[in-house]
Amino acid sequence: MSERDVRRVEVLAEVLSGRRTVASAAIVLAVGVRQIHRLLIRFREDGGGALIHKSRGQPSNHSLSPGIREYALELVRTKYADFGPTLAIEVLHDKHAIRVGRETLRTWMIEDGLWLSRKQRKSFHQPRLRRESYGELIQIDGSDHRWFEDRGDPCTLLVFIEDATSKLMQLRFVPSESTNSYFEALQGYLEAHGCPVAFYSDKHTVFRVNRPDAKGGSGMTQFGRALAELNIEILCANSSQAKGRVERANRTLQDRLVKELRLKNICEIEAGNAFLPGFLQRFNERFALVAAKPENLHRPLNIKASRLNDILCHREQRHVSEQLTMSYDRKQIILERNEVSEGLGGKYVDLYDFPDGRLEVRWKGCSLPYRVFSKDQRVSHTAIVENKCLGHALAFVKAQQDRKLETKVMTNSEKSGYKKTPRRVYGPAFEPKTRLATAVEMTV
């Protein structure tokens, strides 16, 4: 018997013994007076067992026959094993004329082991312990967010966080995650802290060539090539949970940093980058931990500034034609003819594309003079643009479209070619121009 049935037995026994009235029993059991009289008759005749509902333990009048259940599950098992309940009921109804409720089929599939609930499908990641030494592993990531809220355009914050101490090592606002933006952030990190053992990132194309069958290139990105020259390893996480330290830091920054920028009324990237060093120091004083081991694994940066600039840039090799020309970034580069360039036809030269916009053509370390024939600069049709760079790419396209649509309205004077006569100055040396009379030939 259920608790409800036991409670009914107690109340009805009190009514029969005279300790409780029928009206009071109806209020306690939340039923009508007439129902109390019916229950009393059944209780007197057959005892407490008569109060149990007659259909308890019996199949429902609306239940489906076991044959339909077995037939539907057999079809799902043999033909639609990878179908979810919602799609499976549509297929069973359209192709097999079986009408089954979605939740009914879901229950059947769960009981038969053909479907797992969302909670059962949830995968659990084993937490990774911190590295023990400072400078052993630096997690890097970019967080695309409205950092300036409605006061400015959305941008990306590059975050470098130390794994052993959760200390923020480098913060920088950039328009989007790109190789040049990471070069600038990396240069600031190296000059401030030195070279760590390794960086830990996601599978963004800045860090990893996601197509192993790519025909061009050496299988290494520009950022990876720069780290290799600096003797720094780059590791890519297989999931966002693996680099959870920087992901949680991004979530904290999206709360704290946004509000501090609002208090300072900062609304542009340059002012935000000037504000970040002070914020970074306060953040580390509040949240940074102590590493398990006291040693610092950062190596000093024993590289000249000019050499570091040559490393942190976009470098490619280009084939020089017999006319001493080559193509790069929708530009036609023409080498100036001299003693060095005359013999470069059919050979490869190195192009150094610096983040500040400078472009150098070098042959065995020697810079070559050139001139550029620039083509129409635009984002090409069907260009592959990643989600992280989509906002920056659309802003660039919009600016180009607005500049292209600007039309200059010509005045009537400009259309007719009218030029204003300058003001004449009369002085002591003024000599008036005499107009010669037109000679007329007289004929007799």
Side-chain angles (χ1 to χ4, degrees):
M1 298 179 67
S2 63
E3 294 183 2
R4 172 173 170 270
D5 296 332
V6 173
R7 180 60 175 164
R8 284 188 171 189
V9 170
E10 294 176 355
V11 173
L12 294 177
E14 293 176 357
V15 173
L16 292 179
S17 62
R19 291 178 296 168
R20 185 185 294 274
T21 63
V22 174
S24 175
I27 295 174
V28 172
L29 298 179
V31 296
V33 175
R34 296 178 63 185
Q35 181 65 12
I36 292 294
H37 285 293
R38 297 190 190 97
L39 294 176
L40 285 173
I41 294 173
R42 291 160 56 184
F43 185 63
R44 289 194 192 97
E45 294 177 353
D46 300 325
L51 301 180
I52 301 175
H53 200 279
K54 302 300 182 182
S55 62
R56 180 174 297 179
Q58 302 295 325
S60 172
N61 295 331
H62 301 285
S63 63
L64 299 173
S65 63
I68 296 179
R69 181 181 187 275
E70 296 300 329
Y71 181 49
L73 289 177
E74 184 64 23
L75 289 173
V76 173
R77 186 183 299 108
T78 56
K79 297 184 178 181
Y80 316 114
D82 57 342
F83 283 36
T86 303
L87 181 58
I89 60 170
E90 298 177 5
V91 176
L92 292 177
H93 177 264
D94 296 339
K95 295 188 176 182
H96 306 281
I98 299 177
R99 291 184 174 273
V100 182
R102 181 185 60 188
E103 297 305 321
T104 301
L105 182 61
R106 187 191 306 275
T107 304
W108 291 353
M109 294 174 65
I110 291 175
E111 292 175 354
D112 206 57
L114 301 176
W115 180 254
L116 296 177
S117 64
R118 187 180 298 274
K119 183 181 295 186
Q120 292 171 329
R121 293 198 306 271
K122 185 177 180 181
S123 59
F124 296 92
H125 299 269
Q126 183 178 1
R128 180 181 60 81
L129 299 178
R130 296 176 180 270
R131 307 310 301 172
E132 296 181 347
S133 301
Y134 179 75
E136 185 177 0
L137 185 66
I138 309 299
Q139 297 189 20
I140 58 178
D141 191 26
S143 177
D144 188 12
H145 187 65
R146 276 199 167 273
W147 295 100
F148 309 117
E149 299 175 306
D150 295 335
R151 304 184 307 278
D153 297 330
C155 62
T156 300
L157 177 67
L158 302 185
V159 182
F160 289 43
I161 186 170
E162 210 278 323
D163 187 79
T165 61
S166 291
K167 179 181 179 181
L168 291 180
M169 308 296 287
Q170 181 77 5
L171 296 177
R172 187 175 184 86
F173 286 118
V174 294
S176 63
E177 279 191 85
S178 63
T179 302
N180 286 339
S181 62
Y182 272 104
F183 277 157
E184 295 174 0
L186 177 61
Q187 183 173 1
Y189 180 93
L190 297 176
E191 293 174 351
H193 307 286
C195 299
V197 176
F199 284 110
Y200 199 43
S201 68
D202 54 15
K203 297 179 182 179
H204 192 268
T205 53
V206 172
F207 314 111
R208 180 176 183 267
V209 178
N210 292 317
R211 291 187 58 187
D213 58 340
K215 296 181 180 179
S218 59
M220 184 182 296
T221 65
Q222 292 290 329
F223 191 79
R225 185 264 314 157
L227 292 183
E229 294 185 16
L230 294 169
N231 196 19
I232 302 174
E233 188 61 46
I234 178 71
L235 306 175
C236 294
N238 195 38
S239 64
S240 58
Q241 289 82 0
K243 56 184 186 67
R245 218 161 322 277
V246 68
E247 296 289 351
R248 290 189 294 272
N250 289 339
R251 187 168 53 192
T252 303
L253 292 172
Q254 289 177 3
D255 178 44
R256 286 176 170 262
L257 181 56
V258 167
K259 293 174 181 176
E260 293 208 21
L261 292 173
R262 184 197 308 159
L263 294 177
K264 295 294 184 179
N265 195 26
I266 296 175
C267 55
E268 57 184 7
I269 291 180
E270 291 76 11
N273 286 328
F275 170 78
L276 286 177
F279 172 83
L280 186 143
Q281 182 179 359
R282 295 191 302 271
F283 187 93
N284 290 335
E285 292 175 355
R286 173 71 176 82
F287 295 105
L289 305 176
V290 179
K293 293 183 178 180
E295 64 265 26
N296 183 1
L297 298 184
H298 281 100
R299 291 174 284 105
L301 183 65
N302 297 324
I303 298 177
K304 295 182 179 179
S306 59
R307 172 59 180 161
L308 183 61
N309 291 334
D310 290 346
I311 294 175
L312 301 181
C313 68
H314 190 93
R315 283 170 26 193
E316 290 189 14
Q317 286 189 335
R318 282 292 186 270
H319 182 267
V320 182
S321 67
E322 296 298 334
Q323 291 77 26
L324 302 184
T325 62
M326 70 197 79
S327 298
Y328 176 75
D329 193 21
R330 295 181 60 82
K331 298 183 181 72
Q332 192 77 10
I333 299 177
I334 306 172
L335 296 179
E336 299 290 346
R337 293 187 176 273
N338 52 33
E339 296 179 357
V340 179
S341 62
E342 285 290 344
L344 294 181
K347 298 182 180 180
Y348 286 87
V349 295
D350 297 321
L351 274 79
Y352 288 70
D353 191 354
F354 296 95
D356 58 2
R358 292 184 296 115
L359 180 66
E360 290 188 11
V361 181
R362 297 183 184 179
W363 165 253
K364 294 183 178 181
C366 179
S367 181
L368 302 176
Y370 65 90
R371 64 182 186 273
V372 176
F373 176 75
S374 180
K375 298 180 181 179
D376 183 23
Q377 295 296 311
R378 58 170 296 164
V379 177
S380 61
H381 293 287
T382 68
I384 299 176
V385 180
E386 293 192 356
N387 182 37
K388 293 185 176 182
C389 303
L390 183 59
H392 184 56
L394 289 176
F396 177 72
V397 172
K398 181 64 168 57
Q400 286 197 332
Q401 290 176 348
D402 293 342
R403 185 166 58 251
K404 192 172 183 179
L405 292 176
E406 290 179 357
T407 56
K408 186 178 184 303
V409 180
M410 298 180 63
T411 62
N412 293 332
S413 299
E414 292 174 340
K415 293 178 180 178
S416 60
Y418 168 78
K419 293 183 180 180
K420 188 177 179 181
T421 304
R423 182 180 179 182
R424 297 179 180 179
V425 179
Y426 300 95
F430 174 73
E431 296 180 359
K433 295 181 180 180
T434 59
R435 179 177 296 178
L436 299 176
T438 303
V440 179
E441 184 178 358
M442 302 299 293
T443 58
V444 178

